[in-house]
């Protein structure tokens, strides 16, 4: 365990904070030049690089009283690397744009960096660079890079009528945990933990590409909304069979306690970063994939239906609407 | 000319704004998958990718009353791509993390995006992805990617005693323009323009790598500060000959008018994104490179000296100190 950084980030200063942050990092063989130069250099053996950026704001995407800095870091890294995995690629590197208030305790960004580093290690990636500036509230912008290892990327647009829809990872757990936390509770712990620290099935993305997935996305806006992105891009309709969705007994108990149909969490909860993909019907899928629906020709119905009918309740987050910090 | 976006970003909504922003983009042959999927895919023919992230805050790195949205976009893209060039690489792609207040006029981010796009085109790069979220003030986090085209990257750490120091691009122009603006003037126009829209010599980075540059950096913190980064990383001392620096007559006039020694701007002004590099003494340099000093063995003197003596005035920005919006 490293010593905790002392004082505020203002007391540490820009260069002091950057030193503290970079001293915590680990590297991988893919990192040719890490932090400290004008730019980083990362191996891209496939001759193509996969890249994605996400921005997280304090008070909007995380709350400092609900999540530790460490968990915020893990979550931020996880959601970016899930996007890389959902293209069928292996995460290789992360870059961090960080805004911090001067009066922020210095151990907040350093512990957040520990979280980013540890989550990167889960996916065999490393933090290779970034920028830190002073501002009014905490903003994290993370860019993840990945390598396709000679597999073609799996986009949102390749689903065809007759394909099956399958999912791996967790669905609705983060939303159930969020519901628990908003009501001031701290348990059941598994759901609260799922909200604080998602565990995307990184390996499943490239594996799905290898299994011939025709379209793929990570579930960040909710299953219905994200399948909607696939259906729209692929010009198809997708029907989800609710009976095939996994609703654990404990999630039902929480639903009953807080007066929410847990199906709502599973269908519209984001942030677990499950991976959902479409596959040719004849493709045999490993046990960790659960077939939850099918791809149909487009019709007058919405892009995504549940048991053949429109899903009328809230469908995914719009980050511009109020009071959602999901 | 595209139609101006109407209303506020809140009225447009997240998806509406993203549609407006992506509809303005252009592409290049390096872009295999552009915006709209989980992640972008960009060619990396060298099998290594160069990557850097910078964060710009409203009120700190730009002011909406001094710079147009278009110029903010160009500047943000320029400073990132200058970092790529300073490694000896060619910029290929940009990713954008954007925070916007709901009451921001929608044409602000769209015009900013026009600026990013146009600056990217100057360097033959393209915007390939990003994220947009709502927040209290404008934050831009830009990640630039680049390709080395089979040249080894030029770091900060390869300068050796006996090398010459040479610079190409503009030095002190942005700082002089900033001085003009802070005093409420709008001219001389060339300096105000240089502050609003730097013109990094992108081509010069890879060219310097080809000429055998031993160390290289783009001047973003000021010449003394950035040469200090080279000297520190290379464990050498660097001496600048002030007589060899270019101080245009008009810059001297501004200095006289505002009571500042223009040498101060040339030595410590950031943001012009000139490229400064060290070369073996015997290397013949093209006319656009100006030899301004030499690399010496380390001594008791500071890392960087001017005419053999310490430079005692302010050296570069510390983004955590007050009242610098550079």
């Amino acid at each position: 365990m490293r010593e905790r950084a002392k004082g505020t980030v203002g007391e540490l200063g820009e260069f002091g904070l950057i030193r503290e942050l970079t001293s915590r990092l680990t590297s991988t063989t893919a990192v040719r030049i890490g932090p400290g130069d004008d730019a980083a250099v990362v191996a891209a053996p496939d001759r193509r690089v996969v890249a994605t950026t996400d921005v997280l704001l304090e008070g909007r995407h995380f709350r400092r009283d609900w999540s530790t800095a460490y968990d915020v870091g893990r979550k931020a890294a996880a959601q970016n690397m899930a996007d890389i995995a959902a293209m069928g690629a292996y995460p290789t590197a992360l870059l961090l744009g960080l805004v911090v208030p001067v009066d922020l305790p210095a151990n907040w960004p350093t512990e957040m960096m520990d979280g980013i580093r540890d989550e990167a290690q889960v996916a065999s990636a490393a933090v290779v660079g970034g920028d830190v500036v002073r501002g009014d509230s905490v903003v994290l912008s993370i860019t993840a890079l990945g390598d396709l290892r000679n597999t073609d990327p799996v986009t949102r647009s390749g689903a065809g009528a007759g394909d099956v829809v399958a999912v791996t990872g967790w669905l609705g757990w983060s939303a159930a945990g969020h519901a628990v936390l908003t009501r001031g509770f701290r348990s059941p712990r598994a759901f609260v933990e799922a909200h604080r620290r998602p565990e995307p099935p990184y390996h499943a993305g490239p594996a799905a590409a290898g299994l011939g997935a025709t379209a793929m996305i990570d579930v960040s806006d909710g299953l219905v909304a994200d399948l909607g992105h696939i259906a729209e891009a692929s010009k198809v309709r997708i029907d989800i069979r609710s009976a095939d969705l996994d609703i654990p007994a404990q999630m039902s108990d929480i639903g009953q306690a807080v007066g929410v149909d847990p199906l709502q969490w599973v269908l519209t909860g984001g942030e677990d970063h499950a991976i959902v993909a479409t596959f040719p019907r004849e493709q045999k899928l490993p046990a960790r994939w659960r077939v939850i629906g099918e791809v149909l020709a487009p019709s007058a119905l919405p892009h995504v239906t549940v048991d053949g009918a429109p899903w009328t309740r809230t469908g995914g987050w719009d980050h511009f609407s109020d009071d959602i910090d999901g």
Side-chain angles (χ1 to χ4, degrees), chain A:
Chain A
M1 198 70 183
R2 293 187 56 81
E3 213 177 322
R4 277 168 70 99
K6 292 189 184 70
T8 66
V9 302
E11 284 157 17
L12 258 185
E14 183 194 11
F15 293 115
L17 178 56
I18 289 173
R19 220 170 9 244
E20 275 291 332
L21 294 176
T22 52
S23 72
R24 291 162 185 267
L25 297 178
T26 52
S27 192
T28 68
T29 55
V31 181
R32 303 297 162 80
I33 297 177
D37 220 295
D38 288 316
V41 180
V42 181
D46 178 79
R47 294 180 183 265
R48 293 168 296 183
V49 61
V50 183
T52 181
T53 292
D54 269 318
V55 179
L56 283 87
L57 301 187
E58 176 179 0
R60 179 147 202 83
H61 301 97
F62 61 89
R63 285 177 51 164
R64 281 201 270 142
D65 53 343
W66 281 6
S67 295
T68 63
Y70 182 81
D71 284 344
V72 170
R74 288 200 71 137
K75 192 169 182 167
Q79 79 174 54
N80 262 268
M81 294 194 298
D83 280 329
I84 297 294
M87 296 301 286
Y90 296 85
T92 53
L94 298 175
L95 294 103
L96 171 66
L98 179 62
V99 180
V100 282
V102 276
D103 59 357
L104 186 72
N107 66 308
W108 201 93
T110 57
E111 286 170 14
M112 183 205 68
M113 190 57 116
D114 289 343
I116 294 175
R117 176 202 60 212
D118 288 354
E119 189 67 24
Q121 280 188 323
V122 170
S124 306
V127 177
V128 296
D131 190 19
V132 180
V133 302
R134 188 190 67 175
D136 294 330
S137 60
V138 180
V139 183
L140 262 100
S141 177
I142 297 196
T143 298
L145 305 180
D147 192 77
L148 285 159
R149 296 195 195 170
N150 299 318
T151 308
D152 276 335
V154 182
T155 67
R156 302 175 176 182
S157 61
D163 286 353
V164 298
V165 178
V167 68
T168 189
W170 311 95
L171 279 178
W173 286 58
S174 176
H178 183 261
V180 166
L181 285 166
T182 47
R183 281 150 183 91
F185 297 107
R186 301 262 154 185
S187 66
R189 202 164 166 75
F191 294 88
V192 171
E193 284 298 305
H195 178 70
R196 288 194 174 127
R197 196 187 296 179
E199 293 183 4
Y202 301 118
H203 56 88
L211 291 166
T214 52
M216 183 155 53
I217 195 167
D218 86 297
V219 182
S220 54
D221 293 332
L223 184 65
V224 170
D226 287 314
L227 281 177
H229 296 315
I230 285 184
E232 193 172 1
S234 300
K235 299 187 175 63
V236 295
R237 176 160 75 86
I238 287 176
D239 187 57
I240 301 169
R241 284 185 304 272
S242 64
D244 288 334
L245 293 167
D246 183 31
I247 300 179
Q250 225 177 358
M251 192 187 287
S252 299
D253 293 346
I254 301 171
Q256 201 145 29
V258 303
V260 173
D261 179 354
L263 190 59
Q264 172 79 5
W265 292 326
V266 172
L267 287 170
T268 67
E271 300 217 321
D272 290 300
H273 302 289
I275 289 182
V276 63
T278 56
F279 294 92
R281 183 170 295 273
E282 62 277 12
Q283 177 64 48
K284 198 172 147 45
L285 297 174
R288 284 190 188 161
W289 289 88
R290 173 184 282 265
V291 174
I292 59 164
E294 58 188 333
V295 180
L296 304 164
S299 73
L301 285 166
H303 281 308
V304 179
T305 51
V306 178
D307 303 325
W311 178 255
T312 47
R313 283 171 269 179
T314 328
W317 322 108
D318 180 329
H319 297 285
F320 280 48
S321 63
D322 272 310
D323 297 329
I324 290 168
D325 77 273

